[in-house]
Structure formats: structure tokens, C-alpha cells
Amino acid sequence: MPPSTHPHPHPHPSVKPAPGPDHSSRSVPRHLARGAVGFGLIAGAVALVPVTGPVVLLAAPLALIAFRGCPTCWAVGLVQTVSRGRLERRCADGVCTLAPARPAGTPPE
């Protein structure tokens, strides 16, 4: 949505986060574990084809559950998980930017 038509041009930090998909996890270790499972399933499925035949490729779609979509979704979620609480979107005069989050209790500028 263009900044000029955004319903809240000057959001306060306590306002809900920007709309859009959220692929993040509760913690970085949990997110990395999901990635290890997803990439492990894909690598295992491909590596085991010569041994067990193509039926093992049925394990690859299970990786999509671990990734909550695709490897790109997982990577975006990793960035979201790492940056949660450290960055916030600030909008002024129709221009939005990412900036370091203010400490709790700090009034907006």
C-alpha cells in the first residue's frame, strides 16, 4: 500500500505490526531447528534415491511443513525472528523507514 493511502500514517510503537505474512518463530534456536529439519529432509530425500528408489522423494514435501512454505519463506522468517524487537517502522510525512526500536516506555518523537 502506498504511504499516502496508509490508514495510520504515523503509527505508534504500540500499534500492531505491519500487515503481511509472518514466517518468524518464537526464538532463533527454534527457527534454526526448523531449518535443519527442512534442509535435512530435502538432502536426505535426494541422497537416498539411489539406495531406496524414487519413493523416498515423498519425504521432500514434508520439508515444506518445516519451512512453513519454502526455503525462501524460512530465510525471511529467520530475518524476522532475529530482528523482532530490534527494528520498527517509522513513518513521517508519507515516508516510511526502518529504524532501531526505542526502548520500552520511550515516547515517540
Side-chain angles (χ1 to χ4, degrees):
M1 181 178 296
S4 60
T5 61
H6 193 276
H8 304 286
H10 304 286
H12 187 272
S14 65
V15 175
K16 292 181 196 177
D22 183 16
H23 298 286
S24 63
S25 296
R26 290 185 180 155
S27 68
V28 173
R30 178 177 275 185
H31 198 86
L32 292 175
R34 281 188 24 239
V37 169
F39 286 114
L41 283 168
I42 289 174
V46 172
L48 291 175
V49 167
V51 177
T52 61
V55 74
V56 76
L57 292 175
L58 295 175
L62 296 176
L64 299 179
I65 295 170
F67 287 139
R68 292 185 188 164
C70 63
T72 303
C73 299
W74 178 84
V76 168
L78 179 61
V79 172
Q80 287 176 339
T81 302
V82 169
S83 69
R84 179 179 288 142
R86 297 180 185 170
L87 296 174
E88 69 183 8
R89 191 174 101 189
R90 295 184 190 162
C91 298
D93 299 324
V95 177
C96 296
T97 59
L98 279 178
R102 297 191 259 310
T106 305
E109 299 169 350

